Amino acid sequence: MSDPKVLTTLSDAAYLNAPEYKALVESIIASYDHPTGILGELVSQMADAFWWVKIYRAEKNHLVVSEMTDRIISRSSYDAGSKEAWAQLHDLLGKAVSGQSLTTHEQDHLDEVLASEGHTLQSLRTDAFRIRRESFETIDRLIERQLKNVRLLMQSYDSVRVAPQIHKKMALEIEQLELQVKRSREDQRLEVDRQ
């Protein structure tokens, strides 16, 4: 059973008021023809799951970039200069890993730092993934869980959306059967009256 304290904490979560989150929810709701009631709640839960997939992927990217930076600049030798160098290298690696373009000066600096440690960008990234493998596996499981939630919510949405049509169809079929029974009784009564 869910802990009510956790549910209250989640319902009061700060990300629910973030403009990016609200925009995501609105775009997903718009893609579902402005559902209301239970359909709206299901779509809102889908938007929430997509939001967490986005957060987990960003966290995964941040972990790999931080580990890549740690492979070059050891945290054990932190002084004011190494903290600044770590932050600068972290920014450069973050840009490089995410595919953003670097200035010529930034690219030269990154190439120089990587070469001094005997790495290429790919070898450093591979090394970072190897070291943080367990953390990535955990994040991948969290992402997979959210995507599974989305699939189940979409099935629920489809079921709820189709349910009134099925109900109407069944009501018409029952009405048809009742009419057939009524006609059959009427035919039987007429037959008895004739005899």
Side-chain angles (χ1 to χ4, degrees):
M1 182 129 180
S2 297
D3 183 0
K5 292 177 188 172
V6 172
L7 293 176
T8 302
T9 303
L10 288 174
S11 66
D12 295 336
Y15 76 90
L16 295 173
N17 293 319
E20 307 89 38
Y21 176 79
K22 288 181 178 184
L24 177 70
V25 172
E26 288 172 8
S27 71
I28 291 175
I29 287 177
S31 72
Y32 276 89
D33 302 322
H34 304 285
T36 57
I38 193 165
L39 292 176
E41 180 59 30
L42 290 170
V43 172
S44 179
Q45 288 178 20
M46 279 187 263
D48 198 54
F50 283 128
W51 174 260
W52 281 106
V53 167
K54 179 180 173 182
I55 295 297
Y56 293 146
R57 286 180 176 157
E59 180 63 22
K60 190 175 177 180
N61 191 48
H62 178 72
L63 279 174
V64 76
V65 170
S66 293
E67 188 60 40
M68 289 170 73
T69 308
D70 288 346
R71 298 289 96 217
I72 302 293
I73 300 175
S74 172
R75 289 185 189 222
S76 63
S77 65
Y78 262 15
D79 59 8
S82 63
K83 284 182 182 180
E84 187 177 315
W86 191 94
Q88 181 185 17
L89 182 58
H90 187 274
D91 289 342
L92 289 176
L93 287 170
K95 285 181 179 180
V97 166
S98 65
Q100 296 177 21
S101 61
L102 300 173
T103 66
T104 305
H105 174 71
E106 289 173 331
Q107 187 64 53
D108 290 344
H109 177 68
L110 182 59
D111 291 342
E112 180 183 321
V113 169
L114 291 173
S116 71
E117 295 294 322
H119 278 292
T120 64
L121 186 62
Q122 189 58 41
S123 70
L124 183 60
R125 185 176 177 154
T126 302
D127 195 29
F129 264 104
R130 182 184 49 78
I131 291 166
R132 290 291 185 118
R133 185 179 70 232
E134 286 182 20
S135 299
F136 294 138
E137 288 172 355
T138 301
I139 292 173
D140 286 339
R141 282 194 302 273
L142 291 170
I143 290 170
E144 180 57 33
R145 184 183 312 160
Q146 292 300 328
L147 294 175
K148 183 178 180 182
N149 287 345
V150 167
R151 287 190 295 273
L152 293 172
L153 287 164
M154 290 177 84
Q155 288 173 353
S156 297
Y157 179 88
D158 289 341
S159 296
V160 169
R161 195 168 184 196
V162 170
Q165 295 169 353
I166 292 173
H167 177 46
K168 185 176 180 180
K169 180 182 176 190
M170 289 178 67
L172 290 172
E173 288 174 358
I174 290 170
E175 189 178 318
Q176 288 282 351
L177 290 171
E178 287 173 347
L179 285 172
Q180 287 176 357
V181 168
K182 189 175 179 179
R183 280 190 212 128
S184 176
R185 286 185 183 158
E186 186 65 29
D187 289 345
Q188 286 176 356
R189 190 183 62 74
L190 290 173
E191 186 65 34
V192 169
D193 286 348
R194 254 189 269 155
Q195 293 177 357

